[in-house]
Amino acid sequence: MAKGQKSSATSGTRKKNARKAGAGNPPPEIIPKEKKPKGKNKGQNKEPKKKVYILPVKPAPIQPDPLDTTGLVHHLPPELVIVLRSLGKKDPVTKAKALEELQSKWVDESTKQGGDSLLSEVLVAMLPVWLHRAPVLFTHPARRIRVLAAGFHVSLLRIPAVRDAVIFFVQESATTDQVETLLSTWCMLSYDLDRQVSSIGSKSWADIVSLAPGLKTGKLVVDASVITVVLSFIQRTLLDPSGVYMYLNPSPVVAPPPTAKKVGGRYVPPPSKEELQESSRSKSESEEESEPDRNARLRVAAFGALRWILDARLALGMNTLDGLKDFLCNLALWTSLHPAESCAFVQMESFGFGQPQVRQSAWNLLSSLLQRWKGNLSPMLPILSTVVLRSAWIETDAAVRGTMSQPLLIFLKEFPSAWVLDAAYDPNKQDDDESDSDGEDGEVQGKEESTFPRGPSSEGQSQAYREFLQFLELGCAGSPVEGYPMVVIILSTIPSSIISNSSQSPLTDFFTSFWAAIDGRALSSIERKIPSTAFLSALLECMVFLIRRISNGSQDHAALLSSESGNAPDTGQEIQKLVKEQFTRLWDELVSRKLRVDDADAGKLMGKTLVILDRMGGDLFLSAWNALAAGIKIQSHPSPSLASSVMKVFVDSFDEGTTPSQATHALIAEVVQINIAQCEESLGNEACEKAELAKHIGALVTLIDTFGSALFQHNEFALRTDDMVIRHSIRLLEASPKLILAYLSYRGDQQRCKELWHSLLSAIADDAKSIHSSLPPLLDAARNGVLSSILKPESDALDGPIEHLFVEVISGPAQPPTIALVRQLIQTPEYFLSTNGLDIISETLVSYFTSKVEEALYNPNSSIIDFAVSISLIHTIVQSQSQLAFSPDATASLLPSVFLVAYLFPICHTQDTSTTTNAQGVWKTWSEQATPDLLSVVTIVIKDKLRGLLSDCTAYPTPEHILSLVGQKPSGMKISILHDILPSQEELDAMLDDLPSEPASPSLALLDPCIPPSTEFEDGHVSGLSCDSRGYSPYVRVVSALLQCLSEDRQLAKDNVWALRHVLVLSRYIQDFLEVPASRSGLLDGDTPVYELRNILSKTQQLTTYLLSSSLIDDGLHPKVVSACLAGGPRTNVDGLSNLLVDLIDHAKNEDTVRDSLALRAILQHLFANATKADSEQWILLARKLEKSAPQTSIAIVWSITEFAPEPSRLDRYRNELASDMLGIPARKANTDGLLCLRRLAATAPDPDSEVVFLQQQRAVNVMKVCQQWISSDENIDEEVESMMTLIFFHLAPILQNVSGAHWDFIYDILENNFENCSFSEDATLTALGRSLRLVLLIDDLVLTNKSLRASWEERRLSILTLVRNLVSADTGNTEASSPRSLCRELALSIIQELPKSLMDEQTLPQMCHLLYDQSSVVLRMSYQLLSEAARKRTEHYVIEAAVDTEDSVQAELPMELVTILQQSMNMGDGLDERFDEPPGAQHSEIFGYLLAWMVTFDLFADASLKVRSSYFNHMRNLDIIATSFIPNVFDVLDLYSGGKKAFKLDVWAVDEYYLNSFDSEDALSLRLLAAHLYHRALLTVPALIRTWISDCTDKQLLTRVVDYTSSYFSPGIIRAELSLVRQPESSSELTNTENLAIKVSPSAGEVTASYTVDDQVLELTVRMPADWPLHRLEVRDTKMIGVSEDRWRAWVLGVQQIVWQQNGRIVDGLTLFTKNVSLHFAGQVECAICYSIISVMDGSLPQKPCKTCRNRFHAGCLYKWFKTSHSSSCPLCRSDIL
C-alpha cells in the first residue's frame, strides 16, 4: 500500500490485525481520557463549591476462619462443621440453607432440650465462628440472609450459656476491631432498611445491651469507650459505605493477569479488562441489590445507629458533642439531605441522590439534634443553615417532605439567622481555610461537579430565598395541603433584608410566585378544593403578615417597598395598592374557577381577612372591599352563586353595626335591585333571547335561595317580584322554573301563591303541546315536597290533556320522557287533577290492564315486557300511596291480574326482571295493607282463575306452570293445589265418564291379551275434544297436574288414594298412544312430546309402587275388599285403598269397561305380590261371580291371579270346567260364546316356564277337536276366533307335542290361513299375526327335541316360511309405526334369520330394503343380518353372471330401493347430542337405519370379483352418493363440520370392527362409533370416491380437519391392515405360489417391496403409502429394472397404480398384478399391444383377442375401449378390420 493511502479495512479488522501482530507482547496499558464538560453548561461560569476529602477505608486483610485457627474443626460435630463452612460460601442460597439448618437442627433442638443440654455446650463452642461471620451476615445484600441471621442471633442469645459467652467475649476477650465490627453491625441491624430485619434485630440489641453500669448480670454494658469505638465505624459507614462493605468482605488474592499464549500455532491474546470485569460481575449476580442501593441501605442503618449513639451519650451524661463536631460539620455527611445528583453546596455527588430513605434518615438525625442537642449546634450553624435551606425547597419526594417539615420549622424558628448565614456563605473561603489546614495531606479529593449550580448572584442576594420562591411556584413542590400551612411560618423567619435584596420589586415577585401555582396548574388534582383552600388561606395570611411587617415602621421592613423606585414611596398607598391588587386577582380567579374553593370557605377566609384589615385601618378595608364589590357587581351573572354565597357568609360573619356589616347590607341591596331590574327589562322585551333571560332569572333565583324569605321582608322587592312573577308566569316557567318554585317556597303569602298556581295551570291547559315542557319542573317540586298543600286545581282544566297523555302511555309505545311524566303525575295527582279526573284515570288503567292480561293468557307470543309500563304505573301508585286510589270493585278486578303478572307470567312467558319485581312489589304491598275481607275476595277470584286455566286447553300456561306458581307460595296467599285448584273427585269421575273407555287400537291385544277382540268393543276415538299446544286434552292436563302434585307430596298421596284410579287411567291412555301413535283417541294429539309422556309414565310407576307397597297395605285388605264386593250394599270398615278397589269393581259391575278392568289389573299386579293362596281363592270366587255381569272384569281378575298371585286350587278346577264347557258350544255360537270361552281359558293359562300344568293331554285333545269342528263346519268363523285359537294353541302345543294326530295339521292349517289373511299394514290383523309367529317360533323350539314332531313340521315348514318371507318382503309403504307392528316384524325376522337358500335369491335384497325404515332398533339389527346375507347372495349372483358373460351385458348395480335410502339427508348437524337427550323415537331409528343401509352397501363389495366390484364402484360414482350423501351425513355425526376441537375423539376406540348387538339406541356414542366404522369401511372399499371428494373440496379448513382426522384415527389401522394382507396373503394368491418372488414389509415406513429374481438378477418394485393413506396417492418406485424395457416397466407400474388408485384395489391386488405381469413376461406370454400389460387392470384377464392379420393379441376390455374411442373396428397396429 502506498504511503499515506488510507486502508480499506474496517476498524474492527485493523484492531484484529493489531492484536495478532502484538500477540507475543503484553498489551499496552490503556490510559483513560479525561472527561470534558458537555451540554449546555459547557463554558458557563459555575458557582464555586467546597471540595471535601473523604478518607477511604483501609482494606482489611482476609481474616482467618476460627474453625481452622482455634482447632474447632476437630472438636465440633462434623455436621455442624459442614454447616459452618457453608456460612463462608459466597452463594446466598447456600448461606440461607446453612442458617436454616443452624436454626432448626441446633438452636431449636437445644431450646427443646434445655439450657444444660449437650447441644448448648456445642453452641457455646462454635460461638467464635458465628461472631466472626455475624458482621458479614448482618450487612449481607440479600434480605433473606439478613432476616435469617437476625432471627438466628435472637434465638441464640436466648440460650443462657450462649448469652453469657457472648457478653464475656465482648467485654473480656475480643479485640478492639472485633468489638467495633460486631457491635456496630449489630446496632445497624436494629435500624436496617427492611422493617422485618430491623424488628428482629432491635429485639436482640435491646434485650442484651444496657447503658446502666450497675446492672451487669446478663447484660452487655456499653460505656463511653465502646460508644467511641462504635462511633468510628458508623462514621466510616456514613462517609464510605462501599469501603466498609469491602472491609467486611475482603476480596480474595487476585491472581496475576493471564498473558498471551500460543494455541495451535497462533497467538491468543489475554482477556481484556472488560471481560475480566464481566467475569467477576457474573459471580455476584445472585445479589439482590445494586451498589447504590447497598450504600443507601448501609447509610440508613448507620444514621439510625448514630441516633442511638447520640441518645446513649445523653444517657451516660455526655452532654457535649465533643468528638462529633468535626464529623457533624463534614459537608459530605449532610449531602444526604440533598436530592440532586450534584450537591449545591459542595463539589461532590450527593449521598441522598436517588435514595429517599437516606434523606429521610438524615432529616431524622437533624430532628434529633434539634430536639436534644440544640445548645451544641451553634458552631455548626453556618453549615447547617446552607445545608438545610439549600436542600429543603428542592425536595421532590412526598414522604421525605413529610419527615422534613417538623425539623425544618424547628430549625428556622430556633435559628432565624439561618437565612442571613446562608446568604453570607462563601464556599471559596471555606475551601481556602480547609486547604490551608489540610495542605499536607496531598491533593483534594472530590467527585463529579454539580449539574445544579448556584449560578451567579449579586451581593446580598439569597439563593435559598430564590429556591423558596420556586418552591411556591410549584405549589409547595407538589404537596400543597402539607406545605401551604407552613408558608407563613417560614415567611416569618425570613429577614426583610433577604426579601428586599432579592429583586427590584420583592413583594410583587413574592406574590407572583405565589400565584404562579395557579397559573401553572400546580394544584390540579382529582380533589382540587382542599389544596386550593390551603392556598387561599396561606395567601391571605402572608398578605396580612407582610402588611403588618411593613406597617411596623422599621426601616428594614420598609425596604420591602423602597426597592421598587428610587424615591421613598408612601407606605400607606403602597399597602392599599397591594391589598387592592391581591383582592382583585383573588376574586377574578374565584370567578374563573381556576381557584377551586368552596364558596362558603372562600367567603369565610375573605371575611376573616376583611375584619383584620378593618382593625388595622379603615383605608385597608375600603381598598379590599371596593375591589370585591366591583367584582361582585360585575361578575354576579357569570357566577351568581359565588357572589350570593360570599355575601351570605359576610352577613353571618360580620358583627352588626360594624363597617363590614354595613357595607355588606348596602352591597346586597344594590345587587338585588340590579338583578330585578334586569329581569323586568328582559321580560318586557319580547325579542330578548331565552339564554339571556335565563341568565338574569338565574341570578335572581340564586339571591332568593341564598337569603330566603328575608328578601321578601323588603316591601319594594316583594311588590316588584309579585307583579313580575304573576304577570309573566308561563314565560318564567318555560325560561326558568326555579324562580317560580323559589317564589312559592319563600313568598309566605298564600293568596299570592294560589293566584300564581291557578295562573300556571290555566296557561298549561290552554297550550296542551307545552305540557311536556311545562309540567316536569312542577311535578319534581311536588314529589320533593316543595309545593304547599294549599295548591289545588281550581277546575278540571288539566283533566282532559292528562287523560289523553295517560291513554297514550298505557296503550302504545310511548317515549321514555312521556312515561316518566305520567309516572310523576300519578305520584302527586292532587296538585293537577280534579276528583273526577282521578276516577277516570283509575278506571282506565284497571280496564286496560285486565284486558291485556286476559289476552296474554291465551297468546303464546305475548311477553311480560308488554306490561312493563302498566305495571310500573300501578307499582308507582301503590308504593307512593298516591291519592289515585282504586275502588274495591276495581281492586277485585285489578289485583288478580297483577298476581298473574307477578307470579305466573315469569314462569310461562319471557322474563323481565324489572317488570316482575314491580308486579311482585305491588302484590306484596297491597296484600300487607288490604283488609281481610277484600283480601279474601281477591284470593277467591285468583283461585277460580287458576282452576279454570288448569283445564283450559286454549290457555297458554301449562299445568306445570300453575303448579310452579303455587309452589312459590306467594306472599299473602294460601293455596292448596288439591282443594283449591284441581277438580274434586266427583268432577274428575264425571270427566272420565265422558271419555272413551275402549282401547285405541285392536292391535294392542297382542301386547296385552287382557284386551278383548275388536268385535267386542266400539271405536275408542272420541271427537270434539280440544287439545292444548302440547296435545293434551283437559282431562290429561288435570290428571297430569294431579300426578305431579301427588308425586311431590307423598303424604297427600296417601290421604287421597282415590286419585290413583285417574292416574292409572291416564297412564293407560298414554301407553296406548305410545304403542300405537297412529291411533287417535282424542285425549292426546300427534304432536305431543314423547319425553313428557314417558316422564308421566315414570312418575305413575313411582307413585303406584309407593301407594301399593306392602308397608302401606293392611293384612286384611283382600278379604275386606272381596267381602265388600260380594256382599254389596252399604260399605263398612272400607276406606283408602280398599275403597278404591271396591269403587273400581262397582264401576265394572255397572259398565264393565276395558279401561276400568285394566286399571284394576294394574292395582292387583302390585297387591298380589304379597298375597296368599287363601287370598287368591277369594278373588277367584269374586271373578266367578262377575262372569256374567262383568265378563271383562272377571277375565282381568283371573288373568291377574294367573300371572301375579299364588296358584289357587279353584283356578285349576276353573280351567277344566272351561275346557269341558267348550264341548257343549256348537259351531254357530263359536263367534260369541266360543270366543268368550276361549278368552277365559286363555286367561287361566299359566306361564309356559312355570311348573303349573295348563290342561291334561286328553282334555287338551278335546279342546283341539272342538276347535277343529268349529273350523270344519259350514259356519263363518270370525278371524278373532282363529286368532284366539292360535293363542290357545301356543299353550297347548307343549302338551300335545308327543301326541300324534290330525291336530298338528290343523295347527299348521290355521297358521297358513292366518299368514295368508294377515298383513303388516293392517292393524286389525297384527294380533293374529303376532300370535301365529310366536307359535311358529315355539314349534321351532319343540322340534329340536322331538323327532316325530320334526318330521311333520318339515313337511309344512317350507310353505310356512315362504308365507312369512312374503309377509316380510311386502312393502308396507307409509304405514305408521307401532309397537305391535315392530313386534311382529321382530318375530318374523327371528323366524327367517336362518332362511333356506332356496328361499333367498338376488331379488331378496331389493325386496326387503324397506325393513330399514322400521322404527325399532331391534328390528333394524335383525334386518341388517338378513340384508347382509341377501347382499352376499346378490353379489354371488353377479360374480357368476359376470364370469360367464362374454358380451359385457351384465351390469352389477346397487338396488334402487337401497339407493333411495342412501340418498336421504339426515340433517343431523350440531343437534345430535340434544336429539339423543330425548327418549328414542322415529328420528333415532331413521339415523340408525340410514347407517345400516351403508353397511349393507359395503357388504355388497365383500367377496366380489374385480369386475363386479368395478361395476358397483362405477354405479356409485355415477350416482355421486358418496360426495352428496355419505360424507355430509357421516361427517355431521362425527362433528367434523363444527371445527377440529369439537370433532368426536376416537382415541380409545377401534374403528375397524363394530358389533351391532352392542348398539344402544338411546346413546349418541353408539351412533358416532357406527359412523366412524362406516367411514373406515368406505376408506377400505371405495377410497377413490373419498379421494374425489377430497380433490373437489373447496373449504380449506374442512379439508384440513378431514385429513388430520383421517390420518390420526383411520390411516394407521388401514395401513396396518394393508401390510398384514401383504405379509400373510391367501394360500391361493400369486404372492404365495410364485417362485422367485420375495416380499419385504416395512411397517415403520409403510413400505412394501416386491423382488423377482431371474438368473441371479433382481427386479424390485417398492410401494410406499403416505401417512394419510388412502386420501393421497401412494408412491411406486422402480428400485431395480433389469431385463425389461422402459415402456413395458412403465406400463406395469401404471397398472399397479390404476388397480389401487382408480379401481379401489388393495395393495395386495396391485402387487398380484405386478407379479403376474412379471412371471408371464418371462414365461413368454405376449402383452396387450394397447395397454402394454399382460394382465388387464380392468378385469384381470389375459390378452386373448387376436388380430387375424398381424397376429397380435389384445385384452377384450382394451379392444372395446379402442373401438369406442376411435369409432372404428380396425386393428390398432396394422389398421386391418378385426371384426
Side-chain angles (χ1 to χ4, degrees), residues 921-968:
V922 170
W923 172 258
K924 291 178 181 178
T925 303
W926 178 85
S927 61
E928 293 172 357
Q929 300 174 355
T931 62
D933 294 339
L934 185 57
L935 181 60
S936 176
V937 171
V938 172
T939 303
I940 293 173
V941 173
I942 292 174
K943 292 178 180 179
D944 292 341
K945 187 65 178 178
L946 294 177
R947 185 183 298 109
L949 291 174
L950 185 66
S951 59
D952 192 350
C953 294
T954 60
Y956 179 66
T958 64
E960 290 76 12
H961 295 156
I962 298 174
L963 292 180
S964 178
L965 180 152
V966 177
Q968 293 180 7

Side-chain angles (χ1 to χ4, degrees), residues 231-300:
L231 179 60
S232 175
F233 187 91
I234 297 301
Q235 291 176 358
R236 298 202 310 270
T237 304
L238 286 171
L239 296 178
D240 188 13
S242 296
V244 170
Y245 182 78
M246 293 302 297
Y247 173 80
L248 296 175
N249 299 271
S251 301
V253 178
V254 180
T259 60
K261 59 182 178 179
K262 189 174 183 179
V263 177
R266 62 185 181 89
Y267 284 98
V268 178
S272 63
K273 185 179 297 185
E274 291 78 5
E275 292 174 348
L276 292 175
Q277 293 177 354
E278 182 66 26
S279 175
S280 63
R281 188 182 302 115
S282 63
K283 297 179 181 179
S284 61
E285 287 179 352
S286 59
E287 297 182 357
E288 295 183 358
E289 56 187 358
S290 60
E291 182 178 357
D293 291 338
R294 184 186 65 213
N295 294 340
R297 174 176 58 81
L298 294 176
R299 283 195 176 101
V300 169

Side-chain angles (χ1 to χ4, degrees), residues 1442-1463:
V1444 299
D1445 179 37
T1446 58
E1447 299 179 357
D1448 291 336
S1449 60
V1450 176
Q1451 297 294 328
E1453 295 182 350
L1454 305 182
M1456 290 309 300
E1457 294 82 358
L1458 182 60
V1459 171
T1460 302
I1461 301 176
L1462 299 179
Q1463 290 178 337

